[in-house]
């Protein structure tokens, strides 16, 4: 579902639900989902003593290691990790004696995504347009229905995770199979009926 929001120029722009999600490897070789939602941003203020935007705009001058650890831990929790797993991961990979530069860069990217949105797709390419994302989800839903799969596998997942699920279901892991016209039109009609209710 896309949310329409007025831009500073007065026109409407579409914002996807995972726009502020990033994926990063903290050092263990696994790309993890990081997201700073409203709850995590409030918790940053409680734990760090200053708001996320203040930390964000002054990050290169005075971000402290404890603030970086809190940001990373909360972003991992916001991305779906359990609090204990997030704490363990951050304590091991984002704390001395390990070099802190990598942790600082990921924390800054998470804050930046919360403020401006994520600039890259999960594969590191250009940002997708709202239409491209809508087309992908329509195609993904059609392929799941065609394969007899349950659409609930898409709920609560980031765009990158859905791409992985879709690639696993597809015969060609590099390119998802296109739905047949009948399935595509059925999904499109169902979506229009939902919108009218």
């Amino acid at each position: 579902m896309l949310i329409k929001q007025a831009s500073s120029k007065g026109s409407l722009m579409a914002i996807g639900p995972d726009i502020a999600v990033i994926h990063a490897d903290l050092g263990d070789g696994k790309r993890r989902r990081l997201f700073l939602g409203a709850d995590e941003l409030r918790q940053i203020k409680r734990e760090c003593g200053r708001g996320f935007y203040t930390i964000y705009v002054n990050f290169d001058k005075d971000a402290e290691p404890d603030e970086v650890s809190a940001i990373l831990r909360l972003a991992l929790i916001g991305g779906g990790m359990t609090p204990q797993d997030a704490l363990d991961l951050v304590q091991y990979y984002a704390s001395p004696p390990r070099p802190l530069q990598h942790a600082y860069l990921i924390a800054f990217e998470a804050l930046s995504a919360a403020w401006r949105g994520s600039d890259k797709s999960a594969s590191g390419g250009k940002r997708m347009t709202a239409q491209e994302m809508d087309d992908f989800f329509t195609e993904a839903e059609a392929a799941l229905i065609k394969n007899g799969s349950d659409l609930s596998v898409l709920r609560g997942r980031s765009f990158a995770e859905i791409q992985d699920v879709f690639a696993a279901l597809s015969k060609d892991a590099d390119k998802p199979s296109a739905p047949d016209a009948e399935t595509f039109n059925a999904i499109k009609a169902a979506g229009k009926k939902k919108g009218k209710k």
Side-chain angles (χ1 to χ4, degrees):
M1 180 173 105
L2 292 175
I3 300 166
K4 300 290 184 179
Q5 174 179 319
S7 72
S8 59
K9 295 179 182 171
S11 62
L12 290 178
M13 60 183 191
I15 299 177
D18 278 346
I19 278 299
V21 172
I22 64 166
H23 293 82
D25 174 5
L26 282 169
D28 63 348
K30 295 179 184 174
R31 288 181 57 79
R32 300 188 189 274
R33 183 175 189 259
L34 292 96
F35 173 72
L36 291 170
D39 291 338
E40 291 82 20
L41 296 176
R42 283 190 286 275
Q43 188 64 27
I44 286 172
K45 185 169 186 174
R46 285 192 287 271
E47 290 185 24
C48 299
R50 56 189 182 148
F52 91 95
Y53 183 73
T54 302
I55 296 171
Y56 171 66
V57 297
N58 297 305
F59 197 85
D60 60 334
K61 297 177 187 116
D62 67 357
E64 296 294 328
D66 289 343
E67 292 173 327
V68 170
S69 293
I71 291 163
L72 290 174
R73 182 178 50 77
L74 292 167
L76 287 165
I77 293 168
M81 187 176 279
T82 67
Q84 187 60 51
D85 288 345
L87 177 64
D88 292 345
L89 193 69
V90 169
Q91 284 179 337
Y92 188 78
Y93 289 104
S95 300
R98 295 193 184 271
L100 296 176
Q101 181 182 14
H102 185 66
Y104 268 67
L105 293 173
I106 295 170
F108 182 75
E109 189 177 350
L111 288 172
S112 181
W115 179 249
R116 299 181 314 156
S118 179
D119 289 334
K120 297 179 180 177
S121 72
S123 64
K126 71 175 183 69
R127 186 174 180 171
M128 293 182 75
T129 66
Q131 185 61 49
E132 289 170 328
M133 194 172 284
D134 282 347
D135 292 346
F136 175 83
F137 281 111
T138 300
E139 188 177 333
E141 288 175 347
L144 288 169
I145 289 170
K146 184 177 181 180
N147 289 330
S149 299
D150 182 10
L151 289 179
S152 67
V153 299
L154 301 179
R155 288 192 197 111
R157 294 182 184 253
S158 71
F159 182 68
E161 291 167 330
I162 291 170
Q163 283 179 312
D164 292 341
V165 168
F166 194 37
L169 293 173
S170 139
K171 291 182 178 126
D172 179 2
D174 293 332
K175 184 174 186 272
S177 59
D180 59 65
E182 183 180 40
T183 305
F184 179 82
N185 290 331
I187 289 173
K188 201 171 188 180
K192 289 180 182 177
K193 286 180 186 175
K194 274 187 193 176
K196 291 181 182 178
K197 289 183 180 180

